Amino acid sequence: MTSANPERARGTCFVVMGFGKKTDFESGRTLDLDKSYKNMIKPAVEAASLQCIRADEIVHSGLIDLPMYQQLLTADVVVADLSTSNKNAFYELGVRHALRPYTTVVIAEDGIKTFPFDVNHVVVRQYHHLGEDIGFEEVMRFRQELTAAIVEIMKKHPPDKDSPVYTFLGELAPPTLAAMRAAAEAPPSPGGAVRGVPQSESLAAAGPGAAAPAFAAPASGATHSMIMQLVEEAQKRGDFVEAKRLLSGVREEIKREAPDRPEDPDIVQRLALVTYKSEKPSREAALRDARALLATLDPDTSNDTETLGLWGAVHKRLWDETRGSMYLDDAIRAYERGFCLRNDYYNGINFAYLLNVRAANSADPGAAIADFVQARRVRKEVLSICDRWLGSNSAPDGQAATPEAVEKYKERRYWVLATLGEAWWGLGDETQAQKWLEEAYRDVPTPWMRKSTEEQIEKLTALLEDSPLKYLSPATSP
């Protein structure tokens, strides 16, 4: 299906979902929700001749809450994506179900095995997400399914009830706004609003099929998605100072508008990343600034694997800079928890490496042996994870082989192969290690990636040369 001309769109669809990359705590996978929105949801909505709006696309002055609630009330259709069990999405779906008896479509990535009781009797249309991207065939399949669902509910007058609130409380009437009766009786103005009645009120009276506006501030404003695109572009060209400036501005704006609101984890995580990569005003100062940012997300108790991965990376680098043992211990705890939650090769190989670092710097032979042995066990798990990835992921081909998809596959494959090489190296099998490292180097996407791997192998070699296992007799050696 092809997208409709936005100028011919006969109404609006508000999309409720998370932004960017979010971790599904049930499966441990990280999903790029922007790919779900841009590749599937928005094209499907536009193919149904509706204007598609997500909260980060609303240009507004002041808090986002007002236009969000207006859209939940007045949008002709709401699509709610519950992937990663996003708390805000569940809440906003509940608000929509309380406000409107019909025209709400619920979708989710199929990684959610069980839905909460209050949602498990609602129709949920599911799609398969690969994490970093979505396969072309699945994109096209789900686009058609979602477009057909929207077209079907828009054809019926009145539509079938899809809100459990109005289904079970059959006599309940939807809420009314002031002047609704006058709005229903008065002729519409050229701009679509009823004379003398605010646009949000006239739309609530109009019922399904009426066009709802994008609630916007002056055209000079920039949407959240526009700013985040500038951040991504700055990161790609290595301008971390500019990325930091942009993200700091977004964070300060949010704090100014809602000083009591908890920090947005996605903003803080991205800001921490570009802060330590900027190495301004110095490498150590940048790391400490990033650490202070991440501390606002309670990393000691958080189960957000993105927060834990960044917390580990910052403390690993602070150890390199200062040799402070507390930084090493914090890095190990973060990578260990991230590995337990996600069962992934990134956290696993870093966890194993830092165990070797601590073993080499321990004054207690027993503790050193324990860390060394645990590092070997973790590497064996990492080998299995990497083998499974290679067995279940192939290079994009056909129409799915966009330059972006091919580039991402090559980068991920390189790190999987390099991780296999490092894991075998850490286990003392240099033959297997060289085999995988040579395969990784044959198609390395950028030179810095190989340099990073070679530096890690060099450091690991030095750590392994003075193995604490030499103090064990052959009979007790693992």
Side-chain angles (χ1 to χ4, degrees):
M1 295 186 179
T2 57
S3 297
N5 185 336
E7 294 182 358
R8 297 177 57 193
R10 65 173 185 267
T12 58
C13 173
F14 184 57
V15 179
V16 169
M17 66 185 303
F19 312 147
K21 295 181 180 180
K22 293 290 185 291
T23 300
D24 179 352
F25 295 117
E26 186 169 357
S27 67
R29 298 189 304 138
T30 297
L31 308 181
D32 190 338
L33 297 181
D34 286 348
K35 290 295 178 67
S36 302
Y37 179 67
K38 295 174 183 176
N39 294 351
M40 291 193 311
I41 300 171
K42 188 165 188 171
V45 169
E46 291 179 345
S49 299
L50 295 177
Q51 180 188 5
C52 190
I53 304 169
R54 194 169 70 164
D56 62 330
E57 295 177 335
I58 299 175
V59 182
H60 65 98
S61 59
L63 292 175
I64 185 61
D65 302 66
L66 174 60
M68 178 194 71
Y69 285 119
Q70 286 176 313
Q71 289 289 356
L72 288 173
L73 172 63
T74 64
D76 299 284
V77 175
V78 164
V79 172
D81 189 343
L82 305 182
S83 299
T84 71
S85 299
N86 185 281
K87 291 178 286 188
N88 288 330
F90 272 104
Y91 176 79
E92 290 167 29
L93 171 62
V95 172
R96 172 68 175 191
H97 276 162
L99 292 175
R100 295 286 289 267
Y102 33 63
T103 64
T104 301
V105 180
V106 183
I107 67 174
E109 197 269 341
D110 58 12
I112 298 180
K113 301 300 184 294
T114 57
F115 290 95
F117 173 79
D118 292 329
V119 179
N120 64 15
H121 48 269
V122 174
V123 175
V124 181
R125 293 172 171 82
Q126 295 186 291
Y127 61 91
H128 184 64
H129 203 303
L130 300 177
E132 290 294 323
D133 212 333
I134 305 173
F136 178 78
E137 291 184 1
E138 179 65 358
V139 165
M140 300 309 295
R141 180 198 71 79
F142 194 73
R143 274 191 197 176
Q144 294 177 2
E145 179 180 336
L146 183 55
T147 299
I150 294 172
V151 169
E152 181 65 23
I153 65 174
M154 293 291 291
K155 283 196 307 186
K156 296 183 178 180
H157 296 286
D160 296 332
K161 290 180 180 178
D162 50 45
S163 164
V165 176
Y166 292 91
T167 299
F168 290 104
L169 303 178
E171 302 303 314
L172 183 67
T176 60
L177 296 177
M180 180 177 285
R181 291 176 181 172
E185 297 171 357
S189 66
V194 179
R195 290 194 196 102
V197 181
Q199 209 166 25
S200 60
E201 296 182 2
S202 66
L203 285 164
F215 295 88
S220 59
T223 68
H224 177 89
S225 60
M226 290 167 59
I227 296 174
M228 298 313 292
Q229 181 62 40
L230 292 174
V231 170
E232 290 181 10
E233 291 172 0
Q235 285 184 248
K236 285 180 180 179
R237 63 177 183 266
D239 191 349
F240 297 110
V241 173
E242 174 64 7
K244 178 183 175 182
R245 184 189 69 80
L246 290 166
L247 284 167
S248 296
V250 172
R251 182 176 181 236
E252 289 305 314
E253 180 68 19
I254 293 173
K255 290 172 71 174
R256 183 165 53 252
E257 293 179 348
D260 297 329
R261 177 177 292 182
E263 292 273 16
D264 182 328
D266 185 56
I267 296 295
V268 175
Q269 289 162 358
R270 290 182 181 222
L271 181 55
L273 175 66
V274 298
T275 294
Y276 86 71
K277 283 186 174 291
S278 73
E279 300 188 355
K280 301 292 183 182
S282 68
R283 179 178 169 86
E284 184 178 339
L287 288 166
R288 293 188 185 280
D289 288 345
R291 183 180 187 275
L293 285 165
L294 292 170
T296 64
L297 302 180
D298 299 320
D300 290 335
T301 57
S302 174
N303 286 330
D304 187 324
T305 54
E306 185 70 18
T307 295
L308 292 171
L310 287 165
W311 190 249
V314 167
H315 284 80
K316 177 183 177 183
R317 287 162 175 78
L318 279 169
W319 156 258
D320 289 337
E321 289 294 307
T322 68
R323 287 299 187 264
S325 61
M326 65 285 199
Y327 296 132
L328 179 58
D329 290 340
D330 281 347
I332 290 173
R333 278 194 294 269
Y335 282 128
E336 180 179 19
R337 290 178 58 216
F339 182 54
C340 291
L341 287 167
R342 289 188 64 178
N343 194 36
D344 68 315
Y345 64 86
Y346 168 78
N347 280 295
I349 202 66
N350 279 290
F351 176 36
Y353 170 78
L354 290 178
L355 285 170
N356 284 124
V357 172
R358 190 165 66 182
N361 289 273
S362 177
D364 180 350
I369 291 170
D371 279 343
F372 198 93
V373 171
Q374 188 178 6
R376 291 178 60 84
R377 290 174 176 167
V378 171
R379 286 192 177 97
K380 290 177 182 179
E381 292 185 54
V382 169
L383 289 176
S384 298
I385 293 168
C386 291
D387 286 339
R388 287 197 298 271
W389 190 93
L390 290 174
S392 59
N393 289 272
S394 56
D397 57 7
Q399 290 177 295
T402 63
E404 182 184 20
V406 171
E407 179 184 359
K408 286 194 172 182
Y409 173 80
K410 285 184 175 180
E411 289 178 358
R412 178 62 67 85
R413 184 174 182 273
Y414 172 82
W415 289 120
V416 170
L417 296 173
T419 299
L420 279 166
E422 181 181 339
W424 280 115
W425 195 279
L427 291 170
D429 191 332
E430 293 189 18
T431 302
Q432 281 288 337
Q434 290 292 356
K435 167 192 167 184
W436 291 109
L437 290 171
E438 288 172 6
E439 185 171 348
Y441 296 157
R442 272 200 297 270
D443 196 23
V444 60
T446 57
W448 74 262
M449 296 170 74
R450 174 170 180 166
K451 181 180 178 183
S452 175
T453 301
E454 290 175 338
E455 289 175 351
Q456 184 86 336
I457 295 293
E458 184 179 354
K459 292 177 183 177
L460 182 58
T461 301
L463 294 171
L464 298 174
E465 284 177 352
D466 191 24
S467 167
L469 301 185
K470 67 185 179 183
Y471 299 111
L472 296 177
S473 65
T476 58
S477 181

